[in-house]
Amino acid sequence: MLKVDNVSVSYGDMQVLWDVTFEVMEGELVALLGANGAGKTTILNTISGLLRPHSGNIYFLGKEITRIPAHRVAELGIAHVPEGRRLFPEMSVKENLEMGSLLPEAKKKRKETMEWVFSLFPILKEKQNQEAGTLSGGQQQMLAIGRGLMALPKLLMLDEPSLGLAPVLVNQVFEIVKEINRRGITVLLVEQNIMHALKMCTRAYVLENGRVTLHGIGTELLNNQHVKEAYLGI
Amino acid sequence: MSLFLQTIICGILLGAMYALIAIGMTLIMGVMKIINLAHGALVMVGMYITYFCFKEWGIDPYLGMFISMPALFLIGCLIQKYLINRLVEVDSILPENQVLLTVGIMLVLTETMRLIFKSDYRSVVTSYSTKTFFLGDISISIPMTFGFLIAMILTWLLHLFLTRTDLGRSIRATAQDRDAAIYMGVNASRITVITFGIGSALAAAGGSLLLPLFYLWPDIGHLFTAKAFIITILGGMGSTMGAILGGLTLGIAESLGATYISMGYKDVVGLIIFLLVLLFLPGGFRSFTRR
Ligand SMILES: Nc1ncnc2c1ncn2[C@@H]1O[C@H](COP(=O)(O)OP(=O)(O)OP(=O)(O)O)[C@@H](O)[C@H]1O
Ligand SMILES: [Mg+2]
């Protein structure tokens, strides 16, 4: 479904991604793991068209999308739930969700999708008229995911949805991610919470200093010696 | 007492028209993150178009504004698309330098109008220019009341547009987080073009409403840039509600200055308020609501 092929990206003179290659198949929940500064967010922003690779290509549903304008990426069915949530802080919860469904297809089903999102996150329904900036961290994360779902995406990219959340909420967010995937939405999950992510994903890629160093089935990587030492501390 | 009341009412009427101009500036500032120093010049061009329609074809200024508004919408869109956005595409040009471009645009607009209309002072005299009506023993100017009402209606329509339509919400979203808006599929550069157009149309509207009250000459733009800037600072930058409050405050302050000090000092009062706000309330009125 999504194929990232030998992609290299730089910020000015500083190269941060080196020949990154990975693939996400339809229906999968693929985890992209790595430490701080490994380049995970950079990859997602490159897929979203905000950054341009200086070499390599990106394909989605068989079409090359490497150089299409950033605002056209959403049209293809890719929703990006960015790092740090990036909500519209002075808009209400409801307006944030509406912003998630601007494109014609999603707009037609706006009401139903919003009901679905409210059923996943009842707290959002309760606070629908409140400004997004006034929500707690956990609620903001739920809103960010909800806003992504409003687009009825084929592929949902989540950038560290568990970042900064209390442990109870972390579990809740991961449960929701699994639920979303069960509903048939393909998920690309970027995480530093390696243990959790490996347990729930179909496959995982490990990114180190801008290079993919390992990949495999989640449960297999859990037993990988390098993963154990470097990321799980065992 | 009735002189005081009359002064306050006059200030509110005037302030709503100023607010319209300032809302245009605020809208552009919100999305582009730059101060548009050509804003007053856009007001001035809008006034000339309305003036021209009146002079040549006898179109009443309150109708003429519906010609100058679309005209300025178009001019605004073109400026953003072919001048400002060209500069934004070049990474090495800092936003501060985009402000310089707006100064250049201001000069071009001002000198173009001087070329066409000369530097003469012009004014629009209609049958109702000096008419007033009485509320008890307070006399209220008819053109100011008209201007106030139309300004309020336009502000309200803009509010509906910004809160009820996807395009309006996309403008607010782009102002709050440009990249996030792009993730949602918003074509942010198209939004900047539309926003500059709307801001310019509002400038034209405000200018046209003030046309019966001000002498018109090419350099009057500076006056309106200053006013819009003061109001925007008063209102706390980037908030429509703030711009309305700021506009009313400036209108009332000027009106009080004109009545109790001297007509000639009315603009000075505005500047003094501006300095006081910068010194003691740098966040504008927003300092009261947000901390
Ligand atoms: N806008 C930028 N300009 C310059 N360098 C950047 C920029 N954004 C990120 N970098 C650098 O690129 C590298 C990769 O950053 P990136 O944000 O992709 O990492 P990450 O894996 O998402 O990290 P984290 O887990 O902290 O979110 C880092 O060394 C970072 O310092
Ligand atoms: Mg990151």
Side-chain angles (χ1 to χ4, degrees), chain B residues 32-49:
Chain B
M32 292 304 298
K33 311 294 176 220
I34 59 168
I35 290 257
N36 172 25
L37 291 178
H39 203 67
L42 293 165
V43 175
M44 179 269 300
V45 174
M47 289 172 93
Y48 268 111
I49 292 176

Side-chain angles (χ1 to χ4, degrees), chain A residues 45 48 50 70-71 74 78 80 82 86-91 95 98-103 107 110 131 147, chain B residues 162-164 166-170 172-174 176-188 238 286 290:
Chain A
N45 275 335
S48 278
L50 249 47
H71 66 270
I78 299 179
H80 187 160
R86 306 294 289 268
L87 298 171
F88 305 113
E90 289 169 28
M91 292 171 90
E95 284 181 310
E98 284 164 342
M99 281 304 296
S101 54
L102 291 180
L103 301 167
K107 193 174 171 171
R110 185 175 277 177
E131 275 188 13
R147 187 180 64 176
Chain B
L162 288 176
T163 52
R164 303 284 165 85
D166 276 356
L167 181 57
R169 281 193 284 255
S170 299
R172 286 160 62 220
T174 306
Q176 290 172 33
D177 192 329
R178 188 187 170 101
D179 283 353
I182 295 174
Y183 292 139
M184 303 298 121
V186 172
N187 182 346
R286 273 193 166 185
R290 265 168 223 280

Side-chain angles (χ1 to χ4, degrees), chain A residues 154-171:
Chain A
K154 300 186 180 94
L155 172 69
L156 183 68
M157 305 196 294
L158 298 160
D159 197 344
E160 301 202 38
S162 72
L163 193 72
L165 299 187
V168 205
L169 285 174
V170 171
N171 284 329

Side-chain angles (χ1 to χ4, degrees), chain A residues 19-82:
Chain A
D19 301 324
V20 170
T21 297
F22 69 93
E23 201 169 354
V24 182
M25 319 275 200
E26 183 132 24
E28 280 189 319
L29 195 171
V30 170
L32 192 61
L33 309 172
N36 270 325
K40 307 177 298 289
T41 300
T42 305
I43 290 195
L44 293 198
N45 275 335
T46 310
I47 297 169
S48 278
L50 249 47
L51 298 169
R52 298 272 173 238
H54 52 75
S55 67
N57 290 310
I58 300 168
Y59 303 88
F60 186 67
L61 297 171
K63 254 184 28 197
E64 195 194 322
I65 62 162
T66 324
R67 254 156 272 277
I68 69 169
H71 66 270
R72 303 283 305 278
V73 172
E75 265 169 52
L76 303 168
I78 299 179
H80 187 160
V81 179

